[in-house]
Structure formats: structure tokens, C-alpha cells
Amino acid sequence: MSAYWVARSRIIDPVEYKKYTDLVPEIIAKHHGNVLARGGKFQIMEGPETFHRFVVIEFPTMEDALRCFNSKEYQHAAEYRRNGAGEVENVIIEGGDATVR
């Protein structure tokens, strides 16, 4: 079953953040991810307006998504934004409706 990595971010230091975003597409591809949306036009319908960059990535399975996030390469790239270049919320969710039995 597909899984989706959803990220919401606020860029604080664009130069340092770009060091992160320059590395990530290759890492995602290596783990069979497909970017569905990245940094495009958006409209916040409800909730806080903290984040102004949104990313949705589809992976074949939850395991692929988790393996990508936990990979040495991704963790290295994420250090650029974690050192103050941005604030990010990452969520990985399995596709489908788990409430339907």
C-alpha cells in the first residue's frame, strides 16, 4: 500500500535551506519516492499560518518512506535545515482509509 510523506515548512535562512533542498530529490528517487507537490501555490484553509512551503511525496510502501527518512543520506541533508535554516513538520502516513473495515 502506498505511503505519503507530507512536509510543512517555514524557511528561515534560504541559502542554508537550499543546501538541503538541492540534495533531497536524489535521495527521494533512490528510495522510489515520487514528488506529487513541492513548493507550489497554496491556500491555507484552516489552522495556523506558520508554514509556507508544502511537499507531498508518494512512496510504494510505508517501509520505503521510513527507509528514506531514516537513511544516512537524508539525515545528513536534513542537518542543513535543522541547524536553524528552517522549521519543518514531517508526517508519513499510509494510504487508504484505516477507519473502514
Side-chain angles (χ1 to χ4, degrees):
M1 181 174 295
S2 294
Y4 300 89
W5 177 341
V6 180
R8 304 184 318 157
S9 64
R10 178 174 68 95
I11 299 170
I12 298 166
D13 181 341
V15 173
E16 284 297 301
Y17 201 89
K18 187 170 182 335
K19 293 176 184 177
Y20 162 71
T21 60
D22 284 349
L23 296 172
V24 172
E26 185 177 324
I27 298 165
I28 290 168
K30 178 180 175 181
H31 292 275
H32 314 291
N34 179 34
V35 176
L36 300 178
R38 180 179 178 211
K41 185 177 175 183
F42 68 91
Q43 177 67 50
I44 297 173
M45 304 307 289
E46 289 187 63
E49 296 189 13
T50 304
F51 302 104
H52 292 99
R53 181 176 172 86
F54 303 88
V55 181
V56 179
I57 307 162
E58 181 180 37
F59 287 87
T61 67
M62 184 78 152
E63 291 74 21
D64 288 318
L66 293 171
R67 209 171 0 263
C68 182
F69 184 86
N70 292 316
S71 72
K72 186 176 181 177
E73 298 92 346
Y74 180 77
Q75 292 303 311
H76 169 73
E79 288 177 18
Y80 289 111
R81 65 169 175 71
R82 290 177 179 153
N83 287 330
E87 177 184 3
V88 176
E89 176 183 80
N90 283 308
V91 176
I92 297 174
I93 183 169
E94 194 169 52
D97 186 348
T99 63
V100 177
R101 302 264 175 209

